[in-house]
């Protein structure tokens, strides 16, 4: 899937993280990559995250998957929506939808959520903390956009859904197959299916909160820290009031924190590993048969393209001129010399034909064998 008419540079300049944008069918050729039945099938699988939202008068009810197959037959006339998360991990044609959005860095991209709604169905007016491209796959949906929200915005009391207490549409459009709506974080929105068989593909992004960064970094630092690295005051002098925590003590305590927190190199490596962690770590993508370096070299020499696992996250940080840290599925790999070019290509392409020149490098073949055996790359994911 490729764009025919979408100026990505102008989009980043004028809209990304700033204001919504409706883009009427920007594709070379739009085709809906998944059928409603296939989506329903995924919602019944137990390693797939899904929700079924049913509406009654003005209220919404959420059920979490996996759903029993019989559930769909029981749905009545009132509008309903099925939402399936990370469909790109399971359906290569849906994963292919992300490729045109690679003008945004890999680490910012989350997943493709796919929804199916019956006539009038929707998840209710809400806002999200992340950017999203809503692509109309099949049928029609009316999208309404409201104002910017934040943590102070009044919500309806609901266990599972963050629904807005008040919603006024400032703009609205009907989207046809192939049309796309970009919504920045915080903008209120409401999508209502117009007619049956309404499918929407949400390309979702990630942006860590400060709370998440500090919490997770500290959690990961703590096991490496020792109990003997402590506050010391061999220069302690008599103070007027024993109750005072002196400025010099606070300075020294604060420095103990800051020395750790300002280590940018350690943070960079941690963030690369953290942000490339699999979303569903319990899913085992390893091949049934591990491969050794030599058979892998032969397969690659025969020109078989290696495909990145759509569920794996690949990114890198350049450390020095001849050193790069490659992050794959939560781990970091130091790359030097010839391996640098391979790492860069792997991060930039979802499928890769390994050049014969590279196969002369044992380091390259060993690294690829490691990724293959971890389930981060394969010859076929379908
Ligand atoms: C939907 O696809 O129905 C909901 C997507 C969203 O509002 O984020
Ligand atoms: Co939303």
């Amino acid at each position: 899937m490729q764009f025919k008419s979408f100026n990505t540079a102008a989009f980043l300049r004028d809209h990304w993280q700033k204001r919504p944008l409706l883009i009427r069918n920007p594709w070379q050729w739009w085709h809906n990559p998944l059928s409603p039945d296939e989506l329903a099938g995924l919602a019944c699988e137990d390693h797939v995250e899904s929700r079924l939202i049913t509406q009654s008068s003005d209220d919404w009810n959420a059920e979490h998957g996996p759903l029993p197959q019989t559930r769909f037959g029981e749905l009545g006339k009132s509008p309903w929506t099925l939402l399936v998360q990370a469909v790109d991990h399971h359906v290569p044609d849906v994963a292919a939808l992300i490729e045109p959005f690679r003008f945004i860095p890999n680490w910012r991209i989350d997943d493709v959520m796919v929804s199916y709604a019956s006539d009038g169905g929707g998840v209710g007016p809400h806002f999200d903390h992340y950017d999203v491209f809503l692509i109309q796959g099949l049928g029609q949906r009316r999208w309404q956009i409201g104002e910017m929200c934040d943590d102070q915005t009044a919500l309806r009391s609901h266990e599972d859904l963050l629904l807005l207490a008040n919603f006024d549409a400032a703009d609205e459009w009907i989207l046809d197959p192939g049309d796309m709506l970009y919504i920045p974080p915080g903008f209120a929105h409401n999508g209502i299916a117009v007619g049956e068989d309404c499918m929407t593909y949400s390309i979702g992004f990630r942006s860590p909160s400060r709370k998440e960064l500090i919490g997770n970094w500290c959690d990961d630092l703590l096991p490496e820290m020792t109990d003997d690295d402590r506050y010391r005051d061999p220069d302690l002098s008599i103070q007027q009031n024993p109750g005072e925590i002196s400025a010099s003590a606070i300075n020294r305590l604060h420095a103990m924190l800051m020395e750790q927190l300002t280590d940018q190199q350690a943070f960079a490596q941690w963030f690369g590993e953290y942000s490339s962690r699999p979303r569903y770590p319990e899913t085992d993508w390893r091949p049934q048969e591990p491969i050794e370096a030599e058979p892998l070299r032969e397969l690659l020499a025969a020109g078989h393209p290696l495909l990145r696992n759509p569920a794996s996250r690949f990114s890198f940080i350049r450390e020095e001129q001849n050193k790069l840290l490659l992050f794959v599925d939560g781990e970091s790999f130091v790359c030097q010399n010839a391996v640098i070019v391979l790492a860069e290509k792997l991060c930039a392409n979802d499928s890769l034909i390994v050049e014969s020149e590279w196969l002369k490098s044992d380091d390259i073949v060993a690294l690829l064998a490691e990724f293959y055996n971890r389930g981060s790359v394969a010859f076929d994911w379908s």
Side-chain angles (χ1 to χ4, degrees), residues 12-68:
L12 288 180
R13 189 189 61 218
D14 300 332
H15 293 274
W16 174 249
Q17 298 243 303
K18 301 170 197 74
R19 49 203 180 92
L21 178 68
L22 171 72
I23 309 136
R24 290 282 180 204
N25 204 337
W27 309 93
Q28 267 178 353
W29 173 67
W30 173 256
H31 73 106
N32 180 40
L34 187 72
S35 72
D37 281 350
E38 286 168 314
L39 186 70
L42 279 172
C44 303
E45 290 185 23
D46 54 8
H47 57 284
V48 177
E49 190 184 339
S50 63
R51 276 173 306 160
L52 178 68
I53 317 279
T54 42
Q55 277 166 254
S56 53
S57 60
D58 195 20
D59 205 8
W60 282 262
N61 174 55
E63 287 163 56
H64 292 264
L67 302 167

Side-chain angles (χ1 to χ4, degrees), residues 16-282:
W16 174 249
Q17 298 243 303
K18 301 170 197 74
R19 49 203 180 92
L21 178 68
L22 171 72
I23 309 136
R24 290 282 180 204
N25 204 337
W27 309 93
Q28 267 178 353
W29 173 67
W30 173 256
H31 73 106
N32 180 40
L34 187 72
S35 72
D37 281 350
E38 286 168 314
L39 186 70
L42 279 172
C44 303
E45 290 185 23
D46 54 8
H47 57 284
V48 177
E49 190 184 339
S50 63
R51 276 173 306 160
L52 178 68
I53 317 279
T54 42
Q55 277 166 254
S56 53
S57 60
D58 195 20
D59 205 8
W60 282 262
N61 174 55
E63 287 163 56
H64 292 264
L67 302 167
Q69 268 176 4
T70 48
R71 183 68 187 94
F72 296 102
E74 297 159 5
L75 288 161
K77 285 222 174 325
S78 27
W80 56 273
T81 299
L82 173 68
L83 302 158
V84 184
Q85 218 67 51
V87 176
D88 51 312
H89 293 191
H90 307 288
V91 184
D93 282 352
V94 173
L97 265 185
I98 299 182
E99 289 320 301
F101 295 93
R102 296 275 178 205
F103 65 94
I104 294 162
N106 292 355
W107 74 267
R108 293 282 268 118
I109 297 177
D110 193 1
D111 71 340
V112 185
M113 181 185 84
V114 186
S115 70
Y116 174 93
S118 68
D119 190 16
V123 300
H126 67 282
F127 73 98
D128 300 305
H129 286 293
Y130 46 82
D131 311 78
V132 66
F133 282 96
L134 299 156
I135 307 169
Q136 192 60 28
L138 193 69
Q140 287 187 312
R141 190 186 279 275
R142 171 178 292 108
W143 278 107
Q144 302 175 313
I145 300 234
E147 53 188 35
M148 190 72 171
C149 306
D150 58 27
D151 290 338
Q152 307 302 315
T153 305
L155 300 177
R156 288 161 79 124
S157 55
H158 197 292
E159 290 168 39
D160 283 310
L161 302 168
L162 290 173
L163 297 180
L164 296 173
N166 309 300
F167 176 74
D168 290 315
D171 238 324
E172 72 168 56
W173 305 274
I174 291 194
L175 270 70
D176 288 310
D179 291 347
M180 185 161 101
L181 180 62
Y182 164 72
I183 304 181
F187 270 88
H189 53 282
N190 187 27
I192 306 153
V194 178
E196 298 297 331
D197 279 349
C198 167
M199 285 181 84
T200 304
Y201 296 76
S202 303
I203 314 280
F205 293 84
R206 301 187 290 163
S207 50
S209 67
R210 196 189 303 257
K211 178 176 165 185
E212 171 192 345
L213 277 183
I214 295 179
N216 284 287
W217 193 24
C218 290
D219 281 352
D220 290 345
L221 272 178
L222 289 182
E224 293 163 21
M225 299 180 87
T226 59
D227 282 333
D228 59 357
D229 178 15
R230 271 176 193 271
Y231 179 79
R232 288 184 207 281
D233 51 3
D235 53 352
L236 185 66
S237 56
I238 293 170
Q239 58 185 54
Q240 243 182 3
N241 186 331
E244 181 177 2
I245 305 171
S246 68
S248 70
I250 290 290
N251 281 343
R252 209 172 274 184
L253 290 161
H254 190 234
M256 288 173 76
L257 294 189
M258 295 316 286
E259 280 157 24
Q260 191 75 54
L261 293 179
T262 54
D263 182 345
Q264 188 160 340
Q265 206 178 353
F267 171 77
Q269 171 157 359
W270 171 80
F271 184 73
E273 292 171 1
Y274 168 75
S275 60
S276 70
R277 283 182 197 163
R279 180 170 168 147
Y280 301 104
E282 61 288 354

Side-chain angles (χ1 to χ4, degrees), residues 358-373:
W358 301 349
L359 292 175
K360 292 183 191 148
S361 158
D362 289 341
D363 289 343
I364 288 185
V365 179
L367 190 62
L368 290 175
E370 176 148 9
F371 291 154
Y372 183 94
N373 292 331

